[in-house]
Every structure is written in C-alpha cells, then in structure tokens.
Amino acid sequence: MYIIPAIDVLDKKVVRLREGNYNDVTTYDISLVEQINNYYANGTELVHIIDLNGAKGDFSNQEYLFDIIRKTDMKVQYGGGVRSIEKVKELIDAGIYRVIVGTQAITNPSFLEELATLNKGPVKYADHIVIAIDVLDEVIKYSGWQESSPVKLMEYIDKCLALGFFRFLCTDISKDGKLGGAGVELYKKLLDYSPIIKLIGSGGISSMKDIEELDALGRMESVVVGKAIYENKITIEEIKEWNLKTLIKF
C-alpha cells in the first residue's frame, strides 16, 4: 500500500477543509510549488492535487495549477472541476498521470459510457481514470460534497466496473480533516464487495498506526494523506521509508 501525499488548493493557497466545509478552512504557509518540490526531493513518485475551486465550479485556479503541473516531473493524480470528456483527454494527453472524475460521472448518466469508449484506441484512458466516491453514511456526495446522490453506493461501483473503470478514490467524509482515524469499516465493506477494485483511501489519517491498520486490510492499493503531514503527525521521512518498502511501482 503506497502513501500518496495530498495537496488541496483553494484560491491558489495550500489548504485543508474540515468535512468538505468551505467555511472551515485551514491555510498553510507554503506554496504549491514548494510542497511539490518537498515531496519530490524526498522520493515521492505520486502526488494528489485537488483544485477545491474547480470542485465547486469555479475554474479560476486551473491555469495556475496546470502551469505548475506541466513543469514538474512528479506523477500527478489530479481532481477538481473535470467536467468534460475533452478535459479528461486534454489532461491525460498533457501528461497528467491520473485524472479523478467525480461530480460529472454521477450527475451525467452518459459521461462514463462515453469515457469508456476512449479505451478502444492506442491510449488506454481508463487506466488513467480514478472514480471519486465521496461518502457520508454510505450516501454518495458530489459538487464539493454539497449535494447528495440518490444512487446507491454499491450500484454505482457495479456500473463503473461494468464499464471498465476499476480504480476508486473513496473519501469517508465523516473522517476527513479530523485526524480521528481512517474509515476502515467502509473500506473493508468495499473490498469485500468486489475482489477486483483498486481502492485508494482518503480521510482521517492521523498517524502511521492508521496507515498500518489500513495496510492490514490486505488489498488497499494506496492511501491519500494530507492534514496529518501539515500538522506534523506523519513526517515526510516516514512516508519515504514506508513507500520504499511497498515495492509498488506506479
């Protein structure tokens, strides 16, 4: 299980939200460029970058973010405001390693169907897609966690798998930003439900003990860690040591 450091960006600043609440923001005194370089210098191969403006339909950050991402050698897992097939293709063709799709995949019934057709050409786009499932009490949330979907969690997973999308980023909203531990029960339920999904956990990680608890599930592909790094609960050196032991190559 690989640890992926997270960088959330709001108004061009590195921040963390508590339970997705844009009115409960912690801003950190470090730039996006500095943080990417910090991770890269310490051996991290993959970073998770979320445009929080984009997640709620404000695309004022995108040019700033894309300019920085194009200039880094870091593999980037990117999300926030990916609203069209054209944007997915643009990002992957530009070198983004993984593109996270969330709101559009939930609200537009044809979006995933159309995206699935892009896997028939020379570029296997589905291999670079991460399906975001942000969950609160087993209800899927979207639009920056402001809206609730009527689609049942397991039904949505079945639909995605049937279309060839197998990698999921699951955020347990009840845990996010609280440093109170990860959503182990939710992740176990998802892993037990489907033996073929590649699951990335997110939310609530507060210590290396939490990392070990998730790793003990046996089939977690990776875990996103954000606030615990900024609050000095987990050090970059600990992440580097852990990732070197995983022997997972992205």
Side-chain angles (χ1 to χ4, degrees):
M1 186 183 75
Y2 197 85
I3 300 174
I4 308 174
I7 309 176
D8 291 353
V9 181
L10 181 66
D11 300 330
K12 301 181 181 179
K13 298 176 182 178
V14 175
V15 305
R16 292 296 291 172
L17 307 185
R18 181 183 172 90
E19 292 188 64
N21 185 351
Y22 283 77
N23 295 316
D24 193 351
V25 183
T26 301
T27 302
Y28 297 98
D29 188 23
I30 188 168
S31 72
L32 175 59
V33 172
E34 289 171 332
Q35 193 68 319
I36 290 174
N37 290 340
N38 194 16
Y39 291 140
Y40 191 67
N42 282 277
T44 295
E45 296 182 6
L46 178 62
V47 67
H48 175 90
I49 297 178
I50 298 297
D51 176 6
L52 291 173
N53 291 85
K56 59 177 183 175
D58 167 14
F59 305 113
S60 58
N61 265 350
Q62 284 197 345
E63 184 176 349
Y64 162 78
L65 291 172
F66 292 171
D67 183 58
I68 291 172
I69 290 169
R70 288 188 199 102
K71 294 176 182 177
T72 181
D73 292 326
M74 179 83 81
K75 293 177 180 177
V76 174
Q77 178 171 284
Y78 176 87
V82 180
R83 298 284 193 267
S84 68
I85 301 295
E86 291 72 23
K87 179 60 70 176
V88 171
K89 291 183 66 177
E90 175 190 339
L91 291 170
I92 294 174
D93 292 346
I96 299 296
Y97 188 64
R98 290 181 185 161
V99 175
I100 302 166
V101 296
T103 296
Q104 191 70 3
I106 295 168
T107 60
N108 182 350
S110 65
F111 181 79
L112 286 181
E113 285 87 344
E114 186 176 350
L115 191 56
T117 66
L118 300 180
N119 220 35
K120 298 176 181 178
V123 178
K124 303 304 181 186
Y125 286 91
D127 292 344
H128 298 277
I129 296 297
V130 178
I131 305 294
I133 42 175
D134 302 331
V135 181
L136 182 62
D137 298 327
E138 296 198 25
V139 174
I140 299 175
K141 308 287 281 189
Y142 63 94
S143 291
W145 301 348
Q146 305 303 302
E147 305 290 339
S148 298
S149 170
V151 179
K152 300 296 184 183
L153 177 58
M154 300 310 179
E155 290 177 3
Y156 186 59
I157 292 212
D158 285 340
K159 175 185 176 180
C160 294
L161 290 174
L163 290 168
F165 300 104
F166 54 84
R167 181 169 282 110
F168 297 88
L169 169 67
C170 182
T171 300
D172 188 335
I173 298 172
S174 69
K175 305 287 186 180
D176 190 73
K178 294 182 177 180
L179 297 176
V184 176
E185 292 182 6
L186 174 60
Y187 302 143
K188 185 178 187 305
K189 184 175 293 187
L190 293 173
L191 292 168
D192 287 346
Y193 182 76
S194 173
I196 66 173
I197 66 174
K198 301 289 186 182
L199 186 59
I200 305 169
S202 174
I205 302 296
S206 62
S207 67
M208 291 305 296
K209 182 178 179 181
D210 291 332
I211 298 289
E212 292 166 0
E213 190 174 4
L214 288 177
D215 190 48
L217 291 175
R219 288 184 39 238
M220 293 287 292
E221 181 185 69
S222 50
V223 60
V224 172
V225 179
K227 188 172 183 179
I229 298 171
Y230 298 104
E231 301 293 327
N232 298 313
K233 305 293 185 180
I234 296 176
T235 68
I236 294 177
E237 290 75 20
E238 286 175 317
I239 293 173
K240 179 179 180 180
E241 182 180 356
W242 178 278
N243 283 344
L244 285 173
K245 292 177 180 177
T246 64
L247 301 180
I248 295 177
K249 299 298 181 182
F250 287 92

